[in-house]
């Protein structure tokens, strides 16, 4: 059974919950992205509350069943049940978890779905009703330290990104959330190689939803904002997926998750600063070395690409991100096949592996023409 992102309490969600409730053992296979991790966490917690045995792991691609367990693929095709990321696997999972009789964490669902259809989500309505979040001035960060947050976030790419000392110097003692938000917006928009889209993209990191329950905790014991939580989940999915999955399942791994977030941010921003680029009609290509390609492609699209499709390419792998639905996944697979590899993805994002980077780029350009 395949189930796309649907509102909670839909017939499809009911049927999935019924199937999981009766399963002897459930295997959750999540794609390596924040939405899939959050969905796996929501389902895993609900199964644990019902004492249904389960196993969860992260996989970047579809995996064939090897036993009689009920297999749920999240963000990847296959399995007895499939939860799609379109529009949000987390939004679907929170409905299934409720149908299983659980009390799912709306903050986790929000972090998974951020920023896609975020304002319309049932999780946000739930979190607001329970006074778990409050929108406040400032910047979405997972930590209280502003220099740390500005330097390592992958929600934006600014001149000081990846450099905590440079971020601290730019702050110059500022601690007012409104001033910090203005500083970030101006820094992003005024960068020498910024695109007009950068000013729009930075808005996603501003006026964040603060996780109000965390006001009771010491700094950095828990995520400070929903957007910051999402950033950490996304970084862990690429950098240390096991830690990200443990975080989504509710284990005490926040320090390890923050370490992965900082490493991921440093790598992504260093790649953007050191990339060589090619511009083609409708396509902007960045050649990078060792880098988290999906994050680089997303940041490239949002802050540096003058074209609607951004492609980050290393020696044997690539990731792409587009501003519109243009069948990126199909293009990636077609281009990778021409270069001795394979690819996959969705309408706006994709990835590929191949043997010849130049042949792949040429084929991708032709597929995009």
């Amino acid at each position: 059974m395949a189930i796309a992102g649907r509102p909670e309490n839909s017939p499809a969600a009911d049927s999935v919950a019924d199937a999981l409730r009766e399963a002897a053992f459930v295997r959750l296979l999540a794609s390596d992205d924040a939405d899939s991790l959050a969905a796996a966490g929501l389902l895993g917690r609900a199964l644990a509350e019902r004492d249904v045995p389960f196993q969860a792991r992260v996989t970047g691609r579809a995996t064939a069943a090897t036993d009689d367990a009920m297999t749920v693929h999240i963000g990847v095709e296959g399995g007895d049940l499939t939860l799609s990321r379109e529009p949000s696997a987390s939004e679907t999972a929170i409905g299934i978890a409720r149908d299983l009789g659980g009390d799912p964490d709306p903050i986790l669902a929000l972090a998974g779905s951020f920023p896609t259809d975020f304002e319309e989500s049932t999780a946000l309505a739930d979190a607001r009703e329970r006074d778990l979040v409050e929108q406040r001035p400032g910047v979405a960060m997972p930590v209280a330290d502003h220099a740390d947050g500005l330097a390592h976030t992958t929600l934006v790419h600014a001149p000081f990104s990846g450099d905590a000392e440079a971020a601290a110097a730019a702050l110059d003692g500022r601690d007012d959330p409104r001033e910090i938000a203005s500083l970030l917006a101006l820094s992003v928009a005024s960068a020498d190689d910024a695109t007009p889209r950068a000013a729009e993209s930075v808005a996603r990191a501003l006026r964040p939803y603060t996780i109000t329950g965390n006001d009771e905790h010491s700094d950095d014991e828990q995520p400070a904002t929903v957007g910051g939580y999402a950033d950490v989940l996304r970084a862990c999915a690429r950098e240390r997926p096991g830690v990200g999955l443990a975080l989504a399942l509710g284990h005490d791994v926040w320090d390890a998750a923050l370490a992965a977030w900082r490493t991921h941010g440093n790598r992504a921003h260093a790649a953007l600063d050191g990339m060589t680029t090619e511009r083609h009609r409708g396509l902007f290509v960045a050649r990078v070395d060792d880098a988290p390609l999906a994050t680089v492609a997303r940041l490239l699209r949002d802050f540096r690409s003058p074209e609607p499709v951004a492609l980050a390419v290393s020696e044997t792998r690539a990731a792409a991100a587009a501003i519109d639905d243009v069948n990126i996944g199909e293009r990636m697979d077609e281009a990778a096949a021409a270069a001795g590899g394979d690819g996959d993805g969705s309408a706006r994002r994709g990835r590929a592996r191949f043997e010849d980077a130049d042949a792949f780029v040429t084929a991708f350009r032709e597929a995009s023409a």
Side-chain angles (χ1 to χ4, degrees):
M1 175 191 298
I3 172 171
R6 296 170 182 263
E8 58 178 297
N9 301 323
S10 69
D14 289 342
S15 63
V16 171
D18 288 340
L20 293 177
R21 190 179 293 111
E22 301 301 322
F25 186 80
V26 176
R27 179 168 286 111
L28 304 173
L29 298 178
S31 179
D32 51 353
D33 61 85
D35 187 29
S36 298
L37 286 185
L42 290 163
L43 293 182
R45 294 186 194 190
L47 291 170
E49 289 176 9
R50 294 196 61 86
D51 294 324
V52 176
F54 74 95
Q55 178 190 66
R57 69 184 181 91
V58 179
T59 177
R61 297 172 184 272
T63 304
T66 57
D67 54 31
D68 294 332
M70 174 169 287
T71 303
V72 182
H73 281 203
I74 306 170
V76 289
E77 294 299 323
D80 300 302
L81 304 170
T82 303
L83 268 65
S84 170
R85 291 184 309 227
E86 305 297 335
S88 169
S90 303
E91 182 77 352
T92 304
I94 198 170
I96 296 170
R98 284 205 177 100
D99 286 335
L100 282 169
D103 181 23
D105 179 7
I107 303 298
L108 176 59
L110 284 176
S113 61
F114 180 89
T116 305
D117 293 329
F118 184 73
E119 295 292 340
E120 290 77 28
S121 69
T122 57
L124 180 57
D126 185 15
R128 281 172 161 165
E129 183 178 344
R130 295 163 62 178
D131 293 326
L132 298 177
V133 296
E134 180 182 346
Q135 194 168 22
R136 299 176 180 172
V139 177
M141 302 179 188
V143 294
D145 185 295
H146 296 140
D148 186 14
L150 289 181
H152 298 110
T153 180
T154 66
L155 299 180
V156 301
H157 181 66
F160 42 72
S161 293
D163 187 336
E165 291 185 3
L171 284 167
D172 193 25
R174 294 179 180 86
D175 60 6
D176 181 85
R178 291 178 177 83
E179 292 184 2
I180 295 171
S182 296
L183 168 70
L184 178 62
L186 289 172
S187 297
V188 167
S190 62
D192 291 340
D193 47 358
T195 62
R197 193 158 51 244
E200 176 184 343
S201 298
V202 72
R204 300 170 192 158
L206 306 181
R207 296 200 71 239
Y209 281 94
T210 299
I211 302 173
T212 55
N214 291 346
D215 291 343
E216 302 172 359
H217 295 276
S218 301
D219 290 352
D220 299 348
E221 285 185 354
Q222 299 288 333
T225 66
V226 171
Y229 191 7
D231 199 27
V232 171
L233 273 178
R234 188 156 47 188
C236 286
R238 305 297 182 187
E239 206 72 39
R240 294 189 64 187
V243 170
L245 185 57
L247 180 64
L249 287 168
H251 299 295
D252 184 14
V253 293
W254 183 240
D255 287 345
L258 283 180
W261 167 73
R262 293 185 181 101
T263 297
H264 189 77
N266 287 339
R267 293 179 63 217
H269 294 303
L272 285 164
D273 291 338
M275 66 185 175
T276 58
T277 62
E278 311 162 17
R279 184 176 182 180
H280 308 282
R281 183 177 180 181
L283 174 65
F284 195 65
V285 181
R287 303 278 188 152
V288 298
D289 293 324
D290 179 37
L293 295 174
T295 301
V296 171
R298 173 175 54 81
L299 290 172
L300 186 69
R301 175 199 63 190
D302 291 342
F303 297 96
R304 292 292 179 267
S305 174
E307 300 294 341
V309 177
L311 182 67
V313 184
S314 68
E315 186 175 346
T316 60
R317 293 179 180 270
I323 62 172
D324 296 312
D325 294 347
V326 288
N327 299 322
I328 287 293
E330 293 180 13
R331 295 185 192 180
M332 294 292 276
D333 188 40
E334 180 181 339
D342 61 84
D344 59 26
S346 63
R348 297 193 184 192
R349 55 188 173 185
R351 57 185 162 192
R353 51 189 177 186
F354 40 77
E355 297 177 359
D356 187 328
D358 290 334
F360 169 79
V361 171
T362 298
F364 189 82
R365 287 174 53 197
E366 293 174 352
S368 303

